[in-house]
Amino acid sequence: MQSVPSQAIRPLSLNASLSSSRLPFFSFSLPIFHKFKINPSIYNKSQKVPLFLTLRCCSSGSVTAKPSSEDRRNRDVQEPDEKVVALRRLFSKPGIGIDAYIIPSQDAHQSEFIAECYMRRAYISGFTGSAGTAVVTKDKAALWTDGRYFLQAEKQLSSSWILMRAGSLGVPTTSEWLNDVLSPGGRVGIDPFLFSHDAAKELKEAISKKNLELVYLYDLNLVDEIWKESRPKPPNNPIRVHDMKYAGLDVASKLSSLRAELVGTGASAIVISMLDEVAWLLNLRGSDVPHSPVMYAYLIVEVDGAKLFVDSSKVTKEVMDHLKNASVELRPYDSILSEIKRLAAQGAQLWLDTSSVNAAIVETYKSALDKYRSNHGSKGKIKNKRYDESNGLSEGPSGVYMRSPISLAKALKNPAELEGMQNCHLRDAAALAQFWCWLEEEIHNNVELTEVDVADKLLEFRAKKEGFLDTSFDTISGSGANGAIIHYRAKIGSCSVVDPNKLFLLDSGAQYIDGTTDITRTVHFGEPTAREKECFTRVLKGHIALDQAVFPENTPGFVLDAFARSSLWKIGLDYRHGTGHGVGAALNVHEGPQSISYRYGNTTPLQKGMIVSNEPGYYEDHAFGIRIENLLHVQEINTPNRYGGIEYLGFEKLTFFPIQIEEIYRRPMKIVDLDILYLVWSLRFSMAFDFDRFGYGIQLVLV
């Protein structure tokens, strides 16, 4: 599934490169915390690349979304929005007193997928795409989203809302818009739990240029106030232990390595808020979030202990014993701020990744530290002299503000995790082989199937495979024009029938006990047009170019992005999303810090053990969409030369399913066409070999 680190995912950013530019400066001395040089004084703040995506767009029949000009004309006649009106009434309540309120997509952990009870932006705006930010003032309501969701937002927003197409020429950022529409002295309210500290700080600085004030509303979320009884209950699903044969490394070893990092940086504890980092570090899995095997929790790891902040009703006896063996104590989920205050009162030097830890936690810590320093003066206990966030030398504890070391350690898969990913991809491919055989036969027998029917049938085949748990995201099943909506979501009663005379795009994935899959195939059951063939062929050429790439170590993903786009660029075409995202091992289908994207701010190098997707595409609005996606494992390549004495890296395919050749544009044979045939035929061979292990012969026309 395609995922984009876009301005709309973290729309408050003033920096167009949403990336982890500070990552190359990390230095981890222990095996699972990889070697990068840490230098807090040059710690650059940036937006965390999301381990990206959630709810996708729906459509009614064939897409008939209107052009932007007509869309704007229709919005001139505004209809009252009862939810927005109710929200505005709260602005003047005692203790609030604001002129605008910002509703982001995230939960308190900056998650991409979130539980239904936290889908506040979707509730207030009606827009269900995963990326976007809503801003409501006393007389206006606007929503920002990126290019993946322009068509969806046009369809879902009422006339009360202004659609801001983020990244388009002339479209202001949220802060620029607020500076323009609010009078000097205006107050902008946010829920500080829903913003990373970096995002909140950047917003505060941006709006202060026009004398606007950012107001943290700690005690209530205004959307929750109007949602009331109809708001879904928080998830309460049991946590499970992730078996060592899949995890590959025990909790004690992971915690020991992390504690060595704490000592090395002068920190006495680290606050971990990213849900997949908590799950990975403790070898636990949950089901609180759709499609992601994680649970809502915070974790504080100290040099001599650890505390897990979680709803105790989710903790089974097996999990309790597992945590006790690792000397991890339980605390109530909502007591995290109390613990932060307690640690600060003791002069604790907390390690906080301000790109992901929410503003409520960071500001609570800083405020409590101020009290500590005030009470102790210059005689306060000095744990370590370091530079604080403003690069001013501090005589007492001031916090360690650096990227979490767990993000990279988690991305570098160990042998057991890689084995699990390979095994689950084989089972997944077997399910896909059965599914595509079924679908082709049904289509050729003129059976009418909707996009939902197709997605449900694929789930049926996958669910029969050993270790299947869930889909890894909502299946994108798009026929014809619906395939052009990058994150389309078909719904019963409004979806299209699969048309055998149009391109059909199917992007899907699964969560298994031992790994996570993500695959996209675009097929045609009849005869594609010359235009469709040419576009498909150029997307396939880009896919092959990246698949076959060999590159020196320390190469960041953005360097490889052009490999996948070059063939499209030659005829003036492109696509509005990144080419590849990281993938977790039996964890989130999107993870960082690595990515392959045209957004050059992410300088994280691709390293052995990382898993990335390879998914170039092309989309013609209201006509068709094409995307081809495999997952790849970064590995060392044995090159005949080692210029500069460095290693060279390349990719090994994890995805074991072939690509349809009927859509390839047949011209007089050229070298690049031979490359295409080589890849397709090698895939065919490997499929026949691997599927024999599972008892499925390859009798597919779609090869």
Side-chain angles (χ1 to χ4, degrees):
M1 178 185 61
Q2 193 284 317
S3 163
V4 184
S6 75
Q7 240 180 347
I9 291 181
R10 296 288 188 271
L12 301 175
S13 173
L14 303 179
N15 184 353
S17 61
L18 303 182
S19 61
S20 308
S21 59
R22 57 189 178 276
L23 288 175
F25 301 107
F26 295 168
S27 172
F28 303 128
S29 58
L30 294 165
I32 65 169
F33 295 99
H34 205 56
K35 295 184 181 297
F36 280 111
K37 184 178 179 183
I38 295 180
N39 189 339
S41 66
I42 56 174
Y43 170 71
N44 297 320
K45 293 179 178 55
S46 62
Q47 303 296 343
K48 194 172 184 74
V49 177
L51 321 171
F52 321 93
L53 189 71
T54 37
L55 300 176
R56 284 159 202 82
C57 160
C58 60
S59 170
S60 56
S62 298
V63 172
T64 57
K66 300 176 178 62
S68 299
S69 57
E70 185 175 346
D71 179 64
R72 285 193 296 270
R73 286 197 299 269
N74 288 343
R75 293 180 192 280
D76 288 340
V77 181
Q78 293 192 0
E79 301 171 359
D81 186 315
E82 293 182 2
K83 295 175 184 175
V84 173
V85 171
L87 185 70
R88 286 172 176 148
R89 290 195 192 104
L90 299 176
F91 286 10
S92 58
K93 294 286 185 180
I96 299 177
I98 58 175
D99 301 288
Y101 191 63
I102 303 177
I103 308 103
S105 301
Q106 288 75 33
D107 57 21
H109 305 267
Q110 301 299 295
S111 306
E112 178 190 11
F113 294 99
I114 60 176
E116 190 178 2
C117 61
Y118 300 129
M119 295 179 183
R120 299 177 174 101
R121 191 224 60 226
Y123 172 78
I124 196 68
S125 70
F127 169 66
T128 59
S130 68
T133 294
V135 181
V136 177
T137 69
K138 291 180 177 179
D139 59 355
K140 292 180 176 64
L143 181 129
W144 280 255
T145 192
D146 62 47
R148 297 169 296 167
Y149 295 106
F150 290 168
L151 293 178
Q152 176 181 355
E154 286 180 5
K155 294 172 66 65
Q156 291 186 321
L157 293 177
S158 74
S159 60
S160 297
W161 288 85
I162 304 167
L163 173 58
M164 296 291 191
R165 295 169 176 80
S168 298
L169 186 65
V171 176
T173 64
T174 50
S175 55
E176 289 170 343
W177 187 75
L178 286 166
N179 284 340
D180 183 55
V181 302
L182 296 183
S183 301
R187 289 162 52 89
V188 179
I190 65 169
D191 181 339
F193 285 94
L194 305 185
F195 288 75
S196 72
H197 177 263
D198 284 359
K201 181 182 178 184
E202 196 169 2
L203 173 64
K204 181 178 181 179
E205 292 173 352
I207 64 175
S208 67
K209 295 175 182 178
K210 290 298 181 70
N211 197 30
L212 300 180
E213 178 187 358
L214 187 63
V215 180
Y216 287 2
L217 300 175
Y218 283 90
D219 298 328
L220 78 168
N221 182 285
L222 300 192
V223 175
D224 293 351
E225 290 296 299
I226 63 171
W227 208 343
K228 296 181 179 178
E229 292 78 13
S230 62
R231 183 187 176 204
K233 300 295 182 185
N236 190 31
N237 304 312
I239 302 169
R240 59 183 171 85
V241 176
H242 189 53
D243 198 283
M244 262 292 293
K245 65 181 177 180
Y246 307 129
L249 196 63
D250 61 70
V251 178
S253 298
K254 292 180 180 180
L255 289 175
S256 177
S257 294
L258 180 57
R259 284 172 177 139
E261 290 300 313
L262 293 179
V263 173
T265 58
S268 51
I270 184 171
V271 179
I272 304 163
S273 65
M274 297 296 288
L275 301 184
D276 60 335
E277 293 187 6
V278 174
W280 179 84
L281 190 62
L282 296 181
N283 288 346
L284 295 176
R285 297 295 187 266
S287 56
D288 284 352
V289 178
H291 314 298
S292 298
V294 296
M295 60 283 175
Y296 277 106
Y298 296 98
L299 179 65
I300 295 180
V301 178
E302 300 176 72
V303 173
D304 57 355
K307 298 181 180 68
L308 179 65
F309 297 79
V310 68
D311 183 348
S312 60
S313 66
K314 303 176 185 179
V315 180
T316 65
K317 183 181 184 303
E318 181 188 14
V319 170
M320 181 66 78
D321 292 341
H322 173 79
L323 292 172
K324 283 183 178 179
N325 289 337
S327 299
V328 178
E329 302 175 22
L330 287 185
R331 293 289 186 273
Y333 175 79
D334 57 6
S335 67
I336 182 66
L337 293 187
S338 298
E339 181 66 14
I340 296 294
K341 292 176 182 177
R342 187 189 71 81
L343 289 170
Q346 296 176 351
Q349 186 88 320
L350 295 189
W351 183 337
L352 297 164
D353 180 347
T354 54
S355 70
S356 60
V357 175
N358 64 56
I361 288 177
V362 177
E363 291 302 321
T364 295
Y365 174 62
K366 289 184 174 183
S367 177
L369 271 188
D370 288 342
K371 292 181 180 179
Y372 171 84
R373 287 192 290 260
S374 176
N375 292 336
H376 291 79
S378 60
K379 297 181 180 180
K381 185 178 180 181
I382 301 174
K383 296 202 170 186
N384 188 32
K385 289 186 177 181
R386 300 192 59 82
Y387 284 89
D388 68 9
E389 193 176 31
S390 59
N391 294 329
L393 190 63
S394 174
E395 291 297 329
S398 58
V400 177
Y401 304 101
M402 294 188 296
R403 169 75 71 177
S404 166
I406 302 168
S407 175
L408 183 61
K410 175 171 55 65
L412 301 177
K413 307 300 185 285
N414 62 50
E417 291 172 323
L418 287 173
E419 182 181 1
M421 290 292 282
Q422 291 166 341
N423 289 337
C424 79
H425 272 84
L426 286 172
R427 299 196 303 276
D428 199 58
L432 287 162
Q434 293 175 305
F435 162 77
W436 282 109
C437 283
W438 167 84
L439 179 58
E440 185 184 32
E441 183 177 355
E442 295 292 286
I443 294 295
H444 288 171
N445 289 333
N446 298 317
V447 176
E448 185 175 282
L449 296 168
T450 68
E451 296 161 331
V452 171
D453 293 334
V454 171
D456 288 347
K457 191 66 176 182
L458 175 55
L459 175 59
E460 181 182 319
F461 281 116
R462 276 190 167 126
K464 295 177 182 178
K465 299 305 171 190
E466 181 183 357
F468 175 84
L469 299 173
D470 193 5
T471 53
S472 55
F473 55 93
D474 287 319
T475 297
I476 301 170
S477 173
S479 178
N482 290 347
I485 303 176
I486 298 173
H487 282 157
Y488 171 72
R489 184 185 179 190
K491 288 189 175 181
I492 296 174
S494 64
C495 61
S496 294
V497 170
V498 176
D499 189 335
N501 297 311
K502 295 180 179 179
L503 286 173
F504 176 63
L505 186 153
L506 187 68
D507 187 348
S508 66
Q511 292 286 1
Y512 293 92
I513 192 74
D514 50 351
T516 305
T517 71
D518 184 0
I519 177 174
T520 307
R521 291 294 182 265
T522 305
V523 303
H524 202 295
F525 299 101
E527 180 61 30
T529 66
R531 172 69 169 176
E532 291 169 339
K533 286 184 177 180
E534 179 176 20
C535 293
F536 181 92
T537 302
R538 291 186 178 277
V539 171
L540 181 55
K541 285 181 179 179
H543 179 92
I544 294 170
L546 182 57
D547 178 274
Q548 300 295 306
V550 176
F551 48 93
E553 62 179 331
N554 297 319
T555 298
F558 74 81
V559 173
L560 303 181
D561 184 74
F563 288 37
R565 298 179 192 269
S566 178
S567 184
L568 287 167
W569 285 350
K570 288 176 180 177
I571 61 170
L573 299 180
D574 204 347
Y575 48 95
R576 290 195 200 104
H577 58 70
T579 299
H581 57 83
V583 180
L587 267 176
N588 291 355
V589 73
H590 294 145
E591 75 168 13
Q594 75 276 19
S595 68
I596 301 175
S597 173
Y598 58 92
R599 300 176 191 278
Y600 54 83
N602 187 351
T603 57
T604 305
L606 297 180
Q607 300 174 59
K608 289 184 294 185
M610 286 181 171
I611 293 173
V612 294
S613 66
N614 173 10
E615 48 182 314
Y618 175 68
Y619 313 89
E620 288 200 357
D621 289 352
H622 320 298
F624 62 83
I626 297 167
R627 187 160 64 251
I628 303 170
E629 176 187 17
N630 286 343
L631 296 191
L632 305 173
H633 159 226
V634 182
Q635 62 177 2
E636 183 179 353
I637 300 296
N638 186 21
T639 55
N641 303 291
R642 291 289 181 94
Y643 182 79
I646 62 174
E647 291 183 346
Y648 282 76
L649 305 175
F651 299 111
E652 177 186 13
K653 283 180 283 293
L654 288 173
T655 304
F656 293 96
F657 194 79
I659 297 168
Q660 186 183 36
I661 61 174
E662 279 74 9
E663 294 168 274
I664 296 175
Y665 184 57
R666 290 171 174 80
R667 300 168 296 175
M669 189 64 72
K670 295 182 179 180
I671 298 282
V672 71
D673 299 316
L674 289 173
D675 291 340
I676 291 175
L677 291 178
Y678 170 77
L679 175 64
V680 173
W681 281 97
S682 65
L683 278 169
R684 175 186 285 180
F685 176 79
S686 66
M687 284 293 294
F689 176 81
D690 289 317
F691 274 118
D692 283 345
R693 294 171 53 189
F694 292 86
Y696 302 108
I698 298 305
Q699 304 296 326
L700 293 175
V701 173
L702 300 178
V703 295

